[in-house]
Amino acid sequence: MDYPGNLFVIAAPSGAGKSSLVKALLAQDARLQLSVSHTTRAPRGQEQNGREYYFISPAAFDAMVQADAFVEWAHVHNHRYGTSRQAIADKILAGADIVLEIDYQGAMQIKKLFPAAVTIFILPPSWDELKARLEKRGEDSGEVIALRLKNAAQEVAQAPNFDFVIINDLFERALADLQLVTNVQRLRYPAQRRVRPDTFQALRLP
């Protein structure tokens, strides 16, 4: 189905800097809106319910699954994450440009449902740097960090399945690359035609 808004799906292994990049991107681009996912994990640090995620109980998550309320959901690091079907549909049909910050499993599910979605994978510059970033956060035990690194190997292997890959070695450069991807997508023929139908009609373009 064609839809007037653009859908950007961003995935990365834990510690690659995905959340920081998305936050900075949203601060610099007023046309982008973040789709807030649901999760069964507890908030970390300064996270707030309804801002980074909707933090819900496993029972409440089960109820949403049974009601087919998610366009995608997956197990990640012993917790579950899901994207509200209604939230995505309402926003992109209204012409909004939406950013989804999810894991690679969810990204592939979204791509099947929304073929025009732009998928972006954020890579760390090295395994040593990824480990250092996870340890620097000071939020996880050694056991949890080991699990995240183990899962990261599987996640990084999925990068070839994405439309774009950005290496977050220098934050400012990675942010500029992310901005470039969003701007390029808006200039593609189908996207321009959706946004400026009157112009295309006046020029007799299909």
Side-chain angles (χ1 to χ4, degrees):
M1 182 182 69
D2 199 9
Y3 41 88
N6 292 302
L7 182 57
F8 300 98
V9 183
I10 304 176
S14 181
K18 175 185 61 176
S19 295
S20 297
L21 284 170
V22 169
K23 183 178 180 180
L25 178 67
L26 292 169
Q28 295 189 16
D29 192 335
R31 291 180 292 175
L32 290 172
Q33 298 180 29
L34 180 67
S35 177
V36 181
S37 299
H38 292 69
T39 182
T40 57
R41 75 161 172 80
R44 290 199 300 256
Q46 302 299 314
E47 290 180 335
Q48 296 180 14
N49 185 55
R51 188 178 67 183
E52 284 80 12
Y53 292 98
Y54 292 110
F55 298 97
I56 61 176
S57 68
F61 198 100
D62 288 339
M64 292 186 71
V65 170
Q66 291 299 317
D68 198 26
F70 293 125
V71 69
E72 64 80 25
W73 69 273
H75 284 90
V76 184
H77 306 308
N78 296 326
H79 298 291
R80 286 180 292 172
Y81 296 78
T83 302
S84 167
R85 181 184 302 275
Q86 195 64 46
I88 294 297
D90 287 349
K91 289 181 178 179
I92 61 174
L93 286 173
D97 285 351
I98 304 302
V99 175
L100 273 177
E101 182 187 343
I102 57 180
D103 75 293
Y104 79 89
Q105 300 172 71
M108 295 299 97
Q109 292 178 46
I110 291 290
K111 188 68 172 180
K112 290 180 181 179
L113 293 171
F114 301 97
V118 179
T119 56
I120 306 164
F121 199 89
I122 309 297
L123 286 174
S126 68
W127 289 114
D128 287 342
E129 178 62 22
L130 183 64
K131 184 174 184 292
R133 291 177 184 178
L134 289 170
E135 292 174 342
K136 187 177 180 180
R137 290 198 311 203
E139 298 173 349
D140 299 317
S141 65
E143 182 178 302
V144 171
I145 290 175
L147 174 62
R148 291 188 183 280
L149 288 171
K150 179 181 178 181
N151 290 339
Q154 180 181 4
E155 294 164 344
V156 167
Q158 305 303 315
N161 297 320
F162 283 70
D163 298 320
F164 296 93
V165 172
I166 294 174
I167 300 174
N168 186 16
D169 49 358
L170 181 63
F171 184 84
E172 291 77 10
R173 181 165 55 199
L175 177 58
D177 289 342
L178 192 54
Q179 291 171 319
L180 180 61
V181 171
T182 58
N183 289 332
V184 165
Q185 170 60 20
R186 288 168 173 154
L187 296 176
R188 293 186 185 278
Y189 190 95
Q192 286 280 54
R193 184 178 55 191
R194 291 194 299 265
V195 175
R196 301 289 298 274
D198 294 342
T199 299
F200 280 69
Q201 184 177 6
L203 295 173
R204 299 176 183 174
L205 290 170

